[in-house]
DNA sequence: CTAGTTTGTAAATCTGTTTAACAAAAAGTT
DNA sequence: AACTTTTTGTTAAACAGATTTACAAACTAG
């Protein structure tokens, strides 16, 4: 086994472990305020809605990778919990735009703050690496991303 | 925003996209032979069993991050499908060791081949980078892994 | 104006999981 | 040795999140 092969396997292994950890972390429910807990699925929806204000039900489904029906049901649950609001679209009478409520925004901000705290910690720990080294790492990761994109095309489209 | 901050955000973004792609790909069912399809959960179990021959039900659950009960049910399903076999442990009368059957091994090999093909493609695309660059990327990823480990300790143990 | 498409919803169902209760085996304690 | 506790696997009941299917209303295109 060549050195290169070994180092690439090393990177792959790191990625696998990072993904495993991510999945475990994102499986947890989140406490918002005193009485409200947000399930992992709800948290994903809130994040998608926070980053895409006013999307309709259909698009939310695409963003979350679920059916239109699942998206509709999820929104219903979030409305009942007071985290989002439905507003009739201004351009037509069939689409419905979803917006975070005040509480929904709070939940979103909490989640973002969690990620930001994590990011700051990272920044500190990576201070020993040069900008070039980090940028190169990003480029290497982009190669992984590209290869995965092609795999996905094979798997889905055809 | 400093250059370093920007490059680190860049890496984080790549990771997020890689994780999203991974999750989408691993949601797919897999065709084994003509008549047998393996669900994503079953595929994960088979992979765990292929990499850890003869583990017991309990340990399999730990490997998969699910309860002992879920692990037991999963094994039952795989036995019914003819992909794994239960064998009474040789050292005591309560543990049960799980082994892949011939067909199970085939399914495992298929899955591994899929990953290997993907790996070879990667190796080719990364040929332009030096071993040192790739090794540095691995080290940078290990920092991500470390930070996530600490987050997990905070979230789970306490 | 009619036919087809898009959008959201609701009911029934499916899949994978958890919780809880249980029995058998093993390990620890006195 | 006799007991308590822990570990291991199983099962039933319940649950969460998703899909499929069917439907109605709004839009679009011919």
């Amino acid at each position: 086994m060549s050195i290169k092969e070994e180092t690439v396997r090393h990177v792959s292994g790191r990625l696998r472990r990072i993904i495993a950890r991510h999945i475990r972390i994102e499986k947890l429910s989140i406490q918002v305020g005193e009485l409200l807990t947000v399930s992992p699925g709800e948290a994903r929806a809130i994040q998608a809605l926070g980053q895409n204000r006013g999307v309709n039900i259909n698009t939310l489904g695409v963003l979350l990778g679920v059916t239109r029906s699942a998206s509709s049901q999820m929104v219903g649950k979030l409305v009942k919990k007071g985290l989002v609001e439905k507003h009739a679209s201004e351009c037509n009478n069939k689409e419905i735009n979803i917006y975070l409520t005040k509480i929904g925004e709070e939940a979103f901000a909490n989640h973002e703050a969690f990620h930001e705290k994590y990011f700051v910690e990272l920044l500190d720990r990576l201070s020993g690496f040069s900008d070039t080294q980090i940028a190169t790492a990003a480029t290497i990761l982009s190669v992984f991303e590209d290869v995965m994109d092609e795999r996905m095309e094979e798997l889905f489209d055809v």
Side-chain angles (χ1 to χ4, degrees), chain A:
Chain A
M1 182 151 75
S2 73
I3 302 245
K4 168 144 289 149
E5 191 175 333
E6 190 130 15
T7 52
V8 174
R9 275 198 204 282
H10 209 150
V11 174
S12 294
R14 289 286 176 208
L15 273 177
R16 233 182 311 113
R17 279 192 293 278
I18 286 172
I19 290 169
R21 278 155 181 70
H22 179 93
I23 290 174
R24 274 204 72 193
I25 290 176
E26 297 288 301
K27 260 187 200 162
L28 294 169
S29 291
I30 297 170
Q31 202 68 33
V32 181
E34 301 296 319
L35 318 121
L36 194 62
T37 93
V38 176
S39 76
E42 290 166 351
R44 259 172 282 139
I46 288 171
Q47 191 173 20
L49 290 167
Q51 288 166 353
N52 305 273
R53 311 298 165 106
V55 289
N56 64 23
I57 304 248
N58 200 24
T59 310
L60 177 63
V62 174
L63 290 171
L64 297 176
V66 299
T67 60
R68 199 166 69 244
S69 176
S71 174
S72 169
Q73 294 171 59
M74 171 62 78
V75 168
K77 217 171 30 154
L78 291 174
V79 168
K80 201 174 286 176
K81 281 192 163 192
L83 291 159
V84 311
E85 281 170 357
K86 296 179 176 183
H87 291 292
S89 164
E90 285 172 4
C91 20
N92 65 57
N93 292 321
K94 64 173 177 176
E95 293 184 30
I96 296 176
N97 302 119
I98 315 295
Y99 292 94
L100 295 176
T101 60
K102 184 115 181 185
I103 306 175
E105 289 287 355
E106 242 174 82
F108 176 59
N110 272 12
H111 203 245
E112 293 293 286
F114 175 82
H115 284 313
E116 194 58 22
K117 190 175 145 206
Y118 165 73
F119 177 77
V120 169
E121 180 70 30
L122 266 174
L123 206 52
D124 179 51
R125 306 262 194 121
L126 291 174
S127 57
F129 294 89
S130 73
D131 292 346
T132 312
Q133 286 177 314
I134 297 174
T136 303
T139 310
I140 288 172
L141 287 182
S142 79
V143 174
F144 278 78
E145 201 181 319
D146 290 344
V147 173
M148 292 182 95
D149 274 338
E150 289 166 32
R151 270 283 172 286
M152 283 176 70
E153 271 182 42
E154 281 177 39
L155 291 171
F156 292 100
D157 302 350
V158 193

